[in-house]
Amino acid sequence: MKFYIMTLFPDMVMDGLNTSIIGRAVNQGLLSIEAVNIRDYAFNKHNSVDDYPYGGGAGMLMQAEPVFQCYQALTERIGRKPRVVYLSPQGKTFNQSMAEAFASEEELAFLCGHYEGIDERVLEEIVTDYVSIGDYVLTGGELPAMIMVDAISRLVPGVLHNDVSAEFESFQDNLLEYPQYSRPEVWHDKRVPEVLMSGHHANIEKWRREQSVIRTAKNRPDLLEKAELTPDEQILAKRIMEE
Ligand code: ADE
């Protein structure tokens, strides 16, 4: 899968994404991530890409033309018009189902705004998806773009060594992940739950599923509406929520 990130801060994006699992997947050729510098498309001698908003108000806006030129150069070079995600608190809130849908694209472009945003006219022409990563306001779209690239990349086949983990972790199934333990058996006087030491796979699965239901009921009861629970699990969840 190929990601193109249109930004005024290419180093920030590339530095953040070339380590760990994503960096390894890039080195293996499973992913490619390219930051495209919008400033390279500045059209005045000061190299500026921002200006005052018509009608007044605080701050500066990114101008339409450099963003448009950047987009056009990109689409001409790759020979296609990829979906373009504009990161903004006004977008639809990003979640795991959106990550899954984006992961089926071959190419995906991100547009990162700065200052007070971007001239509306170019957004109307090039943006296909408006996405927010949550109800808070950041200084720019770079961190949200990096978060999306990370969440989408781990769903690309081969990126996680163990394909099972992408399926079973939190949110697939709308349940939170169960607690996990590794050596030693006792740490700070806390013992690993007995069932996990039993080697009895069916009991372990049952215990994990229960823990997922309990955690979700305690921490994210809103998710339970979409989770498929057995009648026993529904009773368990209800009890936890009433506690
Ligand atoms: N840009 C600024 N704040 C943002 C947010 N919460 N999500 C996506 N993009 C943003």
Side-chain angles (χ1 to χ4, degrees), residues 68-82:
F68 189 66
Q69 291 298 332
C70 178
Y71 167 78
Q72 273 214 314
L74 178 64
T75 53
E76 273 166 29
R77 180 158 59 83
I78 67 179
R80 266 188 289 252
K81 289 189 172 172

Side-chain angles (χ1 to χ4, degrees), residues 24-45:
R24 188 185 63 205
V26 169
N27 289 334
Q28 289 173 332
L30 294 166
L31 306 173
S32 84
I33 305 173
E34 194 187 313
V36 190
N37 195 345
I38 297 171
R39 200 174 297 282
D40 290 346
Y41 301 89
F43 58 100
N44 60 33
K45 62 178 187 295

